[in-house]
């Protein structure tokens, strides 16, 4: 029988066979999906929205883009530019990245070797529009803060008529150069990358109005005061950009004059902690009303033309689409669920009702609804047009485990929790060691109603003798802006306190949980949280597994880390207080550190320096390094060995030695 760790590898964390990357067209829907739950080759399919019939269009792509009608489809395969339905291979300079047809379907812009190029859709007249003017300069490649657009990270945007583009120029020459070596291959040279760490120089980002003959005009704003560019685009009202100050207290929405690049202030947001970028906004309706958000009295509201249009308690998550004067968005009135909503001339409407985490794609009178639900890994997809609904099939593999989960509300702060118990356990049959399995950071919730691969991993640990508890505390999304900002200035204080309160309240509600045997494991922010918990609260946490965690906050990305702690020159005490290196001499419990040596998000130096500090303090610990592994260590060849190693460590130190590793 295949084990769950084996499935995580063979299914690429249950993403294979799951429909994704939807585009609504005049005739139906385009989407990507492999042909089976263990087939790694992605295929492009077309669904007829009337009959529900699927048609295979192309194989081998990871992403694609279309013109506004959905008729010209472009993609890159092995660095070669290809299209569907016309010339299958275009003679473009390579290696090709991020090809995007213009809205009229006449041309395709793409990036190659840091230059933005364009080629006619029939394969003629391939040419450079913007070439790098320095060794660390790129055109058309998004800088790391360009994540706000729901269509994905972008570095260039077509004008609606397809005659011009707005293009990002990124100069990274002042950003520190970091290196990643592969000790398992001593003959290979280290890999180098520019990494803007906290307190260091960021890339210099400018935007350029670019004509098809290559002539360019710079968009002008106060870049010294607003160096971040978290969003940009070009709608029927013209080009625009969202810019943010380095301290992230101010965000401005600027209209760009297409004639001379001058900018006009359209809207401005302030916050004494940080202005939270929301994917998809700011945006503009057909009538020119600005779609944005306002954080008021604990609620993140949607605003249109400066007016709040959503009620208290409904937390806006993402704006998915603005068509005419109608806004499609997601929001939560209960943190563990997210629903699909619309706001327009007919008022506010909730479009989804089924328990789940919902999202969607809209266009050409068609709505694609994606429902991540408790009973189906990968969720369910439904296409609705003219009152008729048809499903898009999921071919995802069936997990070998069924989660046995109880949703909890814990303590006076009403922490959202999920408790996973062994399928074989019966109440009163014996006490179980507790394993906390949080993420705990601002980027992601660990407790939602959907069935995901992470929850299957929690159940896998439960089947080996643990009561596994996930708790979403301070800083996690879904509870509103005040909850998110509880971590401002102090990354771990309230977060650890919430984990302590969560495990104690869960044990009060479920007497079979043994508070004398409590472990904690986590990855990324969860890894830093696990190490912090063991270092600072050994009275509660008796063993910890810390994977890929930031141990010195000066070693992490400036945009993300300064959001919570400010600039280290201004607030050095915050960085000192959040340093796990400073806390190393306090270690009194077993701690396993894990890190992929190819991790270019949280660099391996973090775990290596904590190990060094622990050794200098005479504190025993374990260090597991993973050659060739990046920041994501699940769904790669080391998955089974890594999970088994963690399990054995926790069993050894929490007093359970069950041997079944199915």
């Amino acid at each position: 029988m295949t084990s769950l760790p084996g499935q995580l590898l063979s299914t690429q964390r249950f993403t294979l066979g799951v429909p994704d990357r939807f585009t609504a067209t005049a005739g139906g829907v385009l989407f990507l999906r492999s042909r089976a739950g263990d087939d790694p080759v992605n295929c492009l399919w077309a669904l007829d929205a009337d009959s529900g019939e699927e048609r295979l269009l192309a194989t081998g792509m990871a992403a694609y883009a279309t013109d506004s009608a959905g008729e010209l489809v472009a993609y890159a395969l092995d660095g070669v530019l290809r299209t569907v339905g016309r010339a299958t291979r275009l003679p473009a300079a390579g290696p090709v990245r991020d090809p995007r047809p213009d809205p009229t379907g006449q041309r395709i812009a793409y990036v190659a070797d840091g230059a933005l190029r364009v080629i006619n859709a029939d394969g003629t007249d391939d040419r450079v529009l913007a070439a790098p003017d320095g060794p660390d300069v790129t055109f058309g490649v998004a800088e790391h803060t360009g994540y706000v657009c729901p269509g994905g990270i972008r570095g260039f945007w077509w004008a609606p008529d397809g005659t011009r583009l707005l293009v990002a120029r990124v100069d990274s020459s002042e950003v520190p150069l970091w290196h990643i070596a592969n000790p398992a291959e001593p003959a290979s040279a280290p890999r180098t990358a520019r990494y803007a760490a906290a307190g260091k120089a960021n890339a210099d980002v400018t935007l350029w109005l670019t004509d098809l003959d290559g002539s360019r005009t710079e968009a002008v704003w106060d870049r010294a005061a607003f160096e971040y560019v978290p969003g940009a685009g070009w709608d029927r009202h013209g080009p625009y950009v969202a810019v943010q100050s380095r301290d992230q207290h101010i965000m401005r929405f600027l209209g760009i004059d297409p004639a001379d690049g001058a900018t006009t202030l359209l809207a401005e947001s302030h916050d004494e902690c940080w202005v939270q970028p929301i994917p998809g906004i700011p945006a503009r309706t057909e009538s020119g009303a600005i779609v944005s958000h306002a954080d008021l009295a604990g609620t993140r509201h949607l605003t249109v033309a400066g007016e709040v249009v959503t009620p208290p308690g409904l937390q806006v998550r993402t704006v998915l689409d603005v068509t005419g004067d109608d806004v499609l968005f997601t929001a939560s009135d209960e943190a563990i669920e997210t629903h699909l909503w619309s706001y327009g001339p007919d008022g506010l409407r909730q479009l989804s009702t089924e328990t789940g985490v919902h999202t969607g794609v809209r266009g050409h009178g068609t709505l694609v609804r994606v429902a991540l639900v408790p009973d189906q890994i990968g969720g369910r997809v439904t296409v609705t047009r003219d009152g008729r609904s048809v499903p898009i099939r999921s071919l995802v593999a069936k997990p070998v485990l069924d989660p046995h989960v109880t949703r909890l509300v814990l303590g006076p702060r009403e922490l959202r929790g999920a408790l996973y118990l062994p399928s074989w356990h019966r109440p009163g049959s014996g006490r179980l060691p507790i394993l906390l399995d949080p993420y705990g950071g601002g980027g992601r919730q660990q407790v939602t109603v959907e069935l995901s691969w992470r929850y299957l991993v929690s159940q896998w640990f439960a089947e080996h003798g643990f009561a596994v508890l996930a708790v979403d505390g301070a800083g996690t999304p879904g509870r509103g802006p005040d909850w998110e900002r509880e971590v401002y200035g102090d990354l771990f204080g309230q977060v650890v306190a919430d984990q302590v309160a969560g495990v104690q309240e869960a044990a009060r509600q479920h007497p079979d949980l043994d508070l004398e045997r409590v472990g904690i494991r986590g990855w990324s922010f969860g890894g830093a949280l696990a190490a912090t918990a063991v270092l600072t609260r050994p009275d509660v946490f008796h063993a910890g597994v810390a994977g890929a965690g930031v141990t010195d906050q000066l070693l992490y990305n400036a945009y993300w880390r300064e959001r919570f702690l400010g600039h280290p020159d201004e607030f050095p005490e915050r960085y000192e207080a959040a340093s796990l290196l400073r806390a190393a001499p306090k270690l009194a419990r077993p701690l396993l550190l894990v890190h992929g040596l190819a991790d270019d998000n949280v660099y391996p130096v973090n775990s290596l320096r904590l190990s060094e500090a622990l050794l200098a303090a005479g504190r025993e610990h374990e260090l597991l390094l993973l050659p060739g592994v990046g920041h994501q260590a699940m769904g790669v060849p080391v998955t089974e060995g890594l999970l088994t190693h963690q399990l054995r460590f926790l069993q050894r130190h929490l007093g359970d030695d069950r041997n079944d590793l199915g």
Side-chain angles (χ1 to χ4, degrees), residues 366-613:
T366 299
L367 175 62
V368 183
R369 304 170 186 252
V370 181
L372 303 178
V373 292
D375 61 345
Q376 172 64 55
I377 190 79
R380 290 190 279 270
V381 181
T382 305
V383 177
T384 302
R385 185 167 67 182
D386 297 330
R388 173 180 169 80
S389 295
V390 296
I392 295 180
R393 294 182 300 147
S394 175
L395 306 177
V396 68
K398 178 177 173 55
V400 297
L401 291 179
D402 293 321
H404 296 263
V405 59
T406 302
R407 309 290 175 190
L408 304 174
V409 177
L410 301 167
R413 280 171 56 79
E414 298 184 340
L415 303 167
R416 301 316 194 257
L419 178 64
Y420 301 82
L421 295 175
S423 60
W424 43 262
H425 180 74
R426 298 296 176 266
S429 63
R431 307 196 75 192
L432 297 168
I434 306 169
L435 176 59
L436 271 83
D437 197 5
Y439 177 74
R444 177 171 55 81
Q445 292 172 259
Q446 189 78 347
V447 182
T448 64
V449 296
E450 67 185 283
L451 176 57
S452 83
W453 68 267
R454 293 184 176 89
Y455 307 157
L456 293 170
V457 171
S458 294
Q459 186 64 44
W460 183 82
F461 278 98
E463 293 300 326
H464 294 97
F466 293 92
V468 180
L469 177 66
V471 176
D472 281 347
T476 53
R479 295 288 297 272
D482 294 350
W483 184 272
E484 292 172 358
R485 294 182 175 112
E486 286 182 345
V487 298
Y488 183 70
D490 181 359
L491 274 180
F492 297 116
Q494 187 60 54
V495 175
V496 172
D498 283 342
Q499 296 299 314
V500 171
V503 70
Q504 291 175 342
E505 176 62 15
R508 188 191 67 79
Q509 295 182 16
H510 296 267
D512 286 351
L513 275 59
D514 187 354
L515 286 174
E516 297 302 315
R517 295 183 294 163
V518 179
I520 183 171
R521 66 178 290 272
W523 199 266
S524 194
F525 185 88
L529 172 55
T532 302
V534 169
L535 285 165
T536 62
R537 292 301 304 268
D539 56 318
V540 176
F541 302 100
H542 306 105
V545 177
V550 178
T551 64
D552 180 346
Q553 307 309 316
L554 293 171
L555 297 174
Y556 196 51
N557 170 269
Y559 185 67
W560 192 248
R561 191 48 74 235
E562 291 176 17
R563 170 180 296 181
F564 305 105
L565 298 182
H567 196 286
D569 290 349
E570 187 176 357
F571 301 103
E573 72 284 355
R574 295 178 180 175
Y575 285 81
E576 181 70 12
S579 170
L580 276 65
L581 308 184
R582 183 179 63 89
K586 298 179 181 179
L587 183 65
R589 297 292 191 183
L591 177 61
L592 168 63
L593 303 176
V594 186
H595 220 118
L597 289 176
D599 192 339
D600 58 3
N601 179 12
V602 179
Y603 275 65
V605 61
N606 283 276
S607 290
L608 293 172
R609 286 192 182 176
L610 179 55
S611 178
E612 182 182 39

Side-chain angles (χ1 to χ4, degrees), residues 147 244 248 251 271 274-278 293 295 300 442 484-485 560 563:
Y147 67 90
Q244 195 171 24
Q248 302 182 48
M251 182 179 287
D271 192 273
W274 72 85
V275 176
Q276 179 73 36
I278 304 300
H293 77 282
D295 293 345
R300 176 157 295 137
E484 292 172 358
R485 294 182 175 112
W560 192 248
R563 170 180 296 181

Side-chain angles (χ1 to χ4, degrees), residues 135 319 332 521 527 605 642:
V319 169
S332 301
R521 66 178 290 272
V605 61
L642 175 57

Side-chain angles (χ1 to χ4, degrees), residues 83-97:
T83 61
V84 175
R86 301 189 187 181
T88 58
R89 176 172 178 158
L90 301 187
V96 172
R97 294 177 54 189

